[in-house]
């Protein structure tokens, strides 16, 4: 609740409730969709920031808006969703013209990449969204080209791969071997960390994906290279008033994902903490 | 708006009856990007305790049909930090501040009230004797007329501020609790706090929130809250402030017709940070259209 | 389905745990066009009284967020017409019938139980001591451990049938009421009945239902029902049957994990007359997929 | 609850939950819409029967299905709706392809028109739906051409007027005088009843519309001509189990609109009974 340790930058623009319209929905495979909205006022945001997303058609159920990383900002903000429950199911069924509200931009973005450092991104599933935007930001700012390690269960769980390839060096791992290396993405990370070690490079890891993946990535980085994660927790409000999004700290107490995160230094987080329902 | 929206909660005049509910509006400073919160009738702070509290382990919230469960565990900055870090800013913004306080013993409730009594810019204290989400204290006071009366009387003696007592929907004898608080000197009753509920993940067979049970809030509970406010307001002479599932101006009007002198907007602020302002604007329009004052709605539910 | 769905409610074996809730399934004969109701674990009749009752004036129902209020006023054909006109048909169809009974005095409860005891084809009686929608009787029994124990003991003596007692969510001491019923010889507890609520039309300032308050049912109350079933089932040794907002197989599973031995589908049957059958089919599929029996779910909520 | 006095015929076909798809939605004026569905199995129904209508997209709120008179049956059943609240608002916003459920056919249809009798229909707003279907049934069976007295607040409150004209003699009244006679539809009824009196004809009135209109029509008919009404009450289930749809009888007690109605002999009903919320 107080000014806590975060790795995130302080880039900030005014948060607002944007009434937008769904312009386009593109299905990717069976479970993923990119939703692109039309916003009267541009949303000014940096990679890693998110929006609380809700369709005006929901009425009183589903009740709460859903936190979604921004895949792009501006006048046509977009998100990448994976269908996991009622809210995402409805988003995946919505048609152009549907009125939505986006409360954005929210949260802390990824921190700046330190000079002369090789950025290594580790993405799992929809976790690719804030990392693709970061890679695009780097590309347009003439920054270093990141190495992206991208994992999924199958070749169908690697949404936006082509866009990612346009702005980064991508290596792939799938659990069933249907694309890239067979196995988990952490296998790729192990090799990548060895490489940078061999070349005596500075590196920094940015990761977003399933909790277990991020915990494994954080463990592998610990003591070797800095690692920043974008955490996912249930959220009530997205702007710091419900206190529903705590992330346990190693030092005790909590950080709040919506205001102090979602992008956080991995070493600050108590990864051993059991999640309810998990 | 030329329409008269002012209401009197005992000796405290509010410029309008739309407040925000404790725990759903932070310390109100979080709204600077969204709107000027001083337009509201008032704001209730997150529940304040003597020492800062970190709160419960995650997960703390889960959604249910037209509602949500929460077990935040009264995470808060502590009364001292509130007085030094938050209150001066609220005062500067001209916000009517109701300090919601929480303790597990009567002396601690008294200490909190005394501390707040020393500050300028606190309009009332609201005793949370009805929090379902902490191991110790809270709700035990709220479900028992004798205990509720005891803590109210003690706080009443300790402060010049108006004392509001927040009712638990789990009291078997809600009217009895209300009357006991009235007799102990409460200036108003606020009702209702959340109703304890449970949600289990059928994939993992585990509770959806760490604390197992959590308090249910949101539109789902509105009819229950409305009934309780109606019953309470007929049983006591002091004002009742209505809370529970209010999301629109119509909801607020319904609550006032049932007997509420003012209302608090809670969970709706999560759905839309501007919810309380929209409720206020809608209430103004409703009163203007009918050429009535807001106070003309209080308890005017036609029961014949 | 080769999966074992049978559950034992005390001495009564049900072929599966999916029942329908009293007042939401008529006398079950209304379903002939829709499905064979004998596939269900059982059906609870509309609440039966000694004399036929016409019920409350309209309007009797109103919708709220993810729920509905009702104040039917226990309209029913009377126990005599039930036994002569409905029961023979139910018997012919092989339906497991639980007779829900309602009275305002202990002797009348006893008379109802004695009358039903003389009939073949009644599997159990369910005492509605928790109806919120009648002027006299009903809920007074259900909110007081002593009164609840008294009526249970009297009915227990009057019949050989299993006696189920339907709990009121408004009991301040729910566990106490449950324990009192257990000690008085109840074979099972069913929980919960509806929760009293109110809804006011902001155009007319009148109540949406004639009786003013009505009982809230539907998905909105599920988390509350689940919490109460969990608390009750840990406090008593007899089986608890879970009711409240069950609309899908997942809801039924959640209820059984919380401690219910069986469940009753209520308001969901209004949304879809096949709801109870769909809950049953889904439960079967869930158990088959995990290779477990239905009884393996009871109270298996992981609480550590 | 028992076999009560009803004027309705006993025409009956098997009720079922039909999963249908919205084929077409036509807006009429600002508040009226005709929704036409596509049903795999044909719905066999008679004029006056209704369906409980619900979109599968509603989730748990709105909760209950809404009773709607069938405007047509068969494989492309249709309804005429007026937007008055959340359920009808959503119906009016739904797009072709949306999955719906129709529980139909429900309730008692209009009773047969006695031989050598002039049918006089009195319709108000959406009350026209079951009367238009009845007129169409009469036309295709070679029955008598009904006289339809059709009232609305303005010329915009007379949906389906053209279809009605194709199968009946229509007279119009609007409260603001924007079409037909200025005034309430009861003015037309008064004249029509006088006419049949002058010609010594037998007549029977069928009416559907707002409660106050039907009460006035019933009062005018009392003692002069038989009158049948199609009542509107809130409904929970539509098929006789919730007991939420009572209609007070003159003789005391209640009829249930969903199974014993909605088409009822007007003289059976206690019209003086105050409705809650009204
Ligand atoms: C900062 C942030 C950014 C996110 N970005 C994306 C994104 O870009 N794309 C995307 O598809 N998802 C993203 N998520 C996760 C997304 O918010 C959840 O998947 C979504 O809220 C689930 O809603 P639902 O109604 O479909 O599922 P529900 O029915 O609410 O829940 C289904 C399952 O998802 C779990 N769940 C619910 N809420 C969350 C949550 N907030 N985080 C993690 N798990 C949850 C539940 O425990 C449950 O197991 C992000 C979450 C956060 C906090
Ligand atoms: C047998 C029958 C046939 C009907 N046929 C048609 C039809 O063909 N076209 C049509 O547009 N409407 C018809 N109605 C009325 C229709 O059911 C209601 O307008 C609808 O349920 C309102 O739903 P809502 O969610 O939009 O409004 P709600 O938000 O539920 O209610 C809005 C207002 O409508 C009133 N209302 C709610 N339910 C009913 C009801 N069942 N009857 C009357 N008033 C109600 C409420 O009191 C409230 O004032 C019929 C009703 C019955 C009983
Ligand atoms: C996340 C959350 C936190 C809450 N914290 C408090 C609190 O600290 N003190 C208190 O008295 N009530 C607290 N409440 C209860 C609300 O003030 C309010 O009584 C309740 O949510 C019902 O209103 P609603 O349905 O409008 O949300 C909290 C509610 C929620 C949802
Ligand atoms: C219209 C209606 C009528 C009811 N009538 C009775 C009744 O006669 N006896 C009874 O014990 N419970 C009655 N109930 C309560 C239900 O049996 C059940 O306990 C309650 O509705 C909660 O379950 P649900 O949320 O699944 O509907 C009635 C409920 C409804 C909605
Ligand atoms: S989501 Fe509400 S405080 Fe973070
Ligand atoms: S609507 Fe349920 S009985 Fe008529």
């Amino acid at each position: 609740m107080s000014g806590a340790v975060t790795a995130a930058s302080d880039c900030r623009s005014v948060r607002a409730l944007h009434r937008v319209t769904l312009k386009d929905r593109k299905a990717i495979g069976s479970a993923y969709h990119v939703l692109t909205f039309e916003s009267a006022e541009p949303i000014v945001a940096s990679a890693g920031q998110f929006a609380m997303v809700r369709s005006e058609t929901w009425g009183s159920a589903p009740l709460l808006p859903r936190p979604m990383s921004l895949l792009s900002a501006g006048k046509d903000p977009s998100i990448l969703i994976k269908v996991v429950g009622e809210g995402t199911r409805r988003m995946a069924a919505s048609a152009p013209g549907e009125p939505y509200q986006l409360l954005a931009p929210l949260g802390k973005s990824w921190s700046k990449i330190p000079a002369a450092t090789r950025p290594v991104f580790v993405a799992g599933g929809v976790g690719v969204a804030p990392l693709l935007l970061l890679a695009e930001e780097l590309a347009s700012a003439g920054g270093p080209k990141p190495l992206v390690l991208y994992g999924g269960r199958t070749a169908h769980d690697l949404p936006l791969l082509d866009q990612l390839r346009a702005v980064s060096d991508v290596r792939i791992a799938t659990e069933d071997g249907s694309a890239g290396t067979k196995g988990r993405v952490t296998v790729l990370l192990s090799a990548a960390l060895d490489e940078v070690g061999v070349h005596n490079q500075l590196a920094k890891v940015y990761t977003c994906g399933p909790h277990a993946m991020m915990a494994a990535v954080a463990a592998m980085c610990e003591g070797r290279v800095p690692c920043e994660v974008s955490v996912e927790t249930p959220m009530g409000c997205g702007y710091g008033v419900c206190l529903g999004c705590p992330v346990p700290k190693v030092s005790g107490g909590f950080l709040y994902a919506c205001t102090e995160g979602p992008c956080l230094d991995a070493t600050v987080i108590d990864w051993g903490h059991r999640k309810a329902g998990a | 708006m030329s329409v008269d929206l002012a209401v009197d909660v005992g000796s405290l005049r509010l410029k309008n009856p739309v407040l925000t509910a404790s725990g759903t509006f932070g310390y109100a400073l979080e709204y600077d990007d969204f709107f000027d919160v001083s337009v509201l009738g008032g704001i209730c702070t997150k529940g304040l305790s003597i020492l800062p509290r970190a709160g419960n382990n995650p997960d703390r919230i889960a959604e249910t049909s037209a509602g949500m469960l929460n077990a935040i565990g009264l995470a808060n900055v502590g009364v001292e930090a509130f007085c030094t870090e938050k209150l001066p800013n609220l005062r500067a913004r001209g916000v009517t501040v109701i300090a919601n306080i929480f303790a597990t013993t009567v002396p601690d409730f008294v200490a909190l009230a005394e501390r707040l009594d020393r500050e300028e810019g606190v309009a009332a204290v609201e005793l949370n004797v009805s929090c379902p989400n902490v191991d110790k204290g809270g709700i035990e006071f709220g479900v028992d007329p004798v205990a509720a009366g005891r803590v109210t009387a003690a706080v009443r003696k300790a402060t010049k501020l108006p004392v509001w007592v927040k009712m638990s929907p789990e009291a078997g004898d809600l009217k009895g609790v209300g009357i006991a608080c009235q007799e102990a000197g409460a200036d108003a009753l606020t009702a209702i706090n959340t109703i304890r509920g449970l949600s289990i993940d059928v994939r993992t067979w585990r509770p959806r929130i760490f604390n197992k049970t959590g308090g249910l809030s949101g539109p789902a509970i509105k009819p229950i809250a409305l009934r309780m406010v109606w019953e309470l307001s007929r049983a006591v002479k002091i004002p009742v402030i209505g809370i529970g599932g209010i999301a629109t101006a119509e909801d607020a009007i319904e609550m006032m017709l049932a007997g509420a002198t003012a209302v608090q907007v809670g969970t709706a602020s999560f759905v839309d940070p501007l919810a309380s302002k929209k409720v206020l604007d809608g209430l103004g329009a409703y009163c203007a259209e009918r050429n009535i004052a807001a106070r003309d709605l209080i308890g005017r539910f036609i029961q014949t």
Side-chain angles (χ1 to χ4, degrees), chain A, chain B:
Chain A
M1 234 154 323
S2 51
V5 191
T6 74
S9 81
D10 244 44
C11 155
R12 176 178 156 84
S13 59
V14 175
R15 304 170 300 175
L17 189 78
H18 297 270
R19 301 200 171 274
V20 302
T21 307
L22 183 63
K23 200 165 80 178
D24 182 60
R25 178 175 56 77
K26 224 189 313 292
I28 306 178
S30 60
Y32 300 91
H33 298 255
V34 171
L35 273 66
T36 308
F37 303 96
E38 202 171 322
S39 176
E41 294 139 44
I43 295 176
V44 181
S46 305
Q49 290 190 295
F50 67 99
M52 291 297 277
V53 180
R54 191 173 192 278
S55 164
E56 309 263 8
T57 67
W58 290 0
S60 62
L63 181 63
L64 300 168
R66 304 303 198 242
M68 293 289 163
S69 295
L70 287 164
L71 177 64
S72 69
K75 286 203 150 204
D76 45 4
S78 62
I79 58 174
L80 168 68
I81 65 157
K82 179 176 183 181
V83 176
V84 299
E86 179 66 9
T88 48
R89 204 183 54 66
R90 290 191 182 223
M91 289 180 195
S94 68
E98 189 163 316
Y100 270 81
Q101 60 174 55
L102 300 188
L103 185 70
L106 299 171
K108 295 266 165 68
S109 56
W110 299 109
S111 65
K112 286 235 169 61
I113 289 163
T117 300
R118 177 92 213 242
V120 178
F121 295 178
V122 186
V126 288
V128 75
L131 291 169
L132 172 55
L133 183 56
L134 181 57
E136 286 171 345
E137 283 180 5
L138 283 175
S140 66
K145 198 172 193 184
L147 171 63
V148 180
L149 314 176
Y150 192 11
R153 237 176 30 77
T154 74
H156 298 294
D157 297 300
L158 303 169
L160 304 180
L161 183 57
D162 292 342
Q163 285 90 321
L164 198 60
R165 283 195 167 124
V167 287
S168 66
D169 300 321
V170 184
R171 296 180 195 168
I172 287 169
T174 54
E175 289 177 38
D176 70 350
S178 54
T181 305
K182 182 171 166 137
R184 297 186 182 238
V185 72
T186 38
V187 179
L188 301 180
L189 178 60
S190 183
L193 291 183
D194 287 347
E195 277 171 41
V196 296
V198 167
H199 298 93
N200 237 332
Q201 280 182 308
L202 286 176
K204 182 166 176 182
V205 170
Y206 295 79
T207 182
C208 187
H211 185 87
M213 182 201 91
M214 293 195 293
V217 169
M220 288 179 68
C221 292
E222 182 133 30
R224 291 178 78 180
V225 292
C227 173
E228 201 169 308
V229 301
S230 179
V231 294
E232 286 195 5
T233 69
M235 288 188 176
C237 65
Y239 61 93
V241 299
C242 75
L243 308 183
C245 61
V247 178
K249 285 193 288 186
V250 174
S251 57
F254 305 99
L255 291 168
Y256 288 93
C258 71
T259 47
E260 300 177 300
C263 299
L264 293 167
D265 182 335
T267 61
V268 175
I269 299 170
D270 176 2
W271 292 97
H273 200 90
R274 190 180 62 70
K275 277 169 71 83
Chain B
M1 266 183 298
S2 69
V3 53
D4 179 8
L5 295 179
V7 294
D8 295 313
V9 180
S11 59
L12 178 64
R13 164 146 304 192
L14 298 175
K15 61 174 160 288
N16 64 66
V18 181
L19 315 175
T20 57
S22 176
T24 66
F25 212 67
Y27 303 99
L29 300 167
E30 294 84 346
Y31 288 79
D32 279 355
D33 283 355
F34 303 126
F35 74 105
D36 172 8
V37 299
S38 74
V39 301
L40 298 173
I43 69 98
C44 298
T45 66
K46 176 70 195 165
L48 300 170
S49 48
I50 294 185
L51 296 177
R53 290 174 60 104
N56 291 337
N57 282 332
D59 288 349
R60 291 184 182 173
I61 58 174
E63 183 160 328
T64 64
S65 289
M68 66 176 279
L69 294 171
N70 91 77
I72 305 301
L74 289 165
N76 79 95
V77 297
V79 70
E80 205 50 53
F82 173 75
C83 291
T84 55
E85 292 165 25
K86 310 288 183 187
L87 192 54
N89 290 310
L90 291 168
R91 214 157 41 212
R93 284 169 180 72
V95 178
T96 301
V97 176
I98 290 89
N100 181 284
I101 60 176
F102 163 81
T104 57
T105 66
V106 173
D108 281 0
F109 268 113
V110 167
L112 283 162
E114 279 172 346
R115 178 67 189 85
L116 289 160
D117 199 47
R118 296 209 306 272
E119 294 292 328
E120 227 174 285
V122 177
V125 291
E126 181 181 51
L127 312 190
N128 179 3
V129 293
S130 46
C131 180
N133 298 324
V134 286
D135 283 346
K136 235 167 55 97
I139 203 163
E140 285 99 69
F141 287 111
V143 296
D144 173 16
V146 177
R150 206 154 40 88
V151 63
T152 305
V155 170
R156 172 70 293 162
K157 256 189 280 176
T159 176
K160 302 172 302 297
L161 293 171
V163 176
W164 300 0
V165 188
K166 190 156 178 182
M167 299 286 107
S168 169
E170 294 182 35
D173 179 15
L174 182 65
K175 293 184 225 173
V177 175
I179 291 167
C181 293
Q182 166 178 277
E183 273 160 21
D187 295 276
L189 306 176
T190 60
I192 60 176
N193 212 316
T194 55
I195 308 174
R196 266 179 319 134
L198 178 66
S199 179
I200 301 173
D201 187 325
V202 298
R203 289 177 302 115
T204 62
W205 297 14
R206 289 186 179 277
R208 285 195 180 274
I209 50 184
F210 186 89
N211 193 50
K212 295 189 228 24
T213 64
L216 183 64
S217 66
I221 68 168
K222 196 187 74 170
I224 303 173
L226 211 57
R227 186 262 298 173
M228 291 185 169
V229 166
W230 176 56
E231 288 180 345
L232 257 185
S233 65
R234 297 198 308 168
V236 297
K237 290 183 204 74
I238 54 177
V240 175
I241 293 168
I243 324 169
I246 295 173
T248 65
E250 285 69 36
D251 296 335
I253 293 159
E254 205 179 346
M255 194 61 97
M256 292 184 74
L257 291 170
T261 298
V263 301
Q264 295 180 10
V265 176
T267 299
S269 291
F270 304 161
V271 179
D272 177 351
L274 295 158
S276 51
K277 179 163 188 315
K278 289 173 184 168
V279 167
L280 174 58
D281 292 346
L283 175 68
Y286 182 95
C287 291
E289 205 177 285
R290 280 164 185 73
N291 198 23
I292 55 175
R295 73 175 68 85
D296 295 336
L297 294 167
I298 303 167
R300 298 295 276 279
F301 166 34
I302 301 169
Q303 295 168 42
T304 49

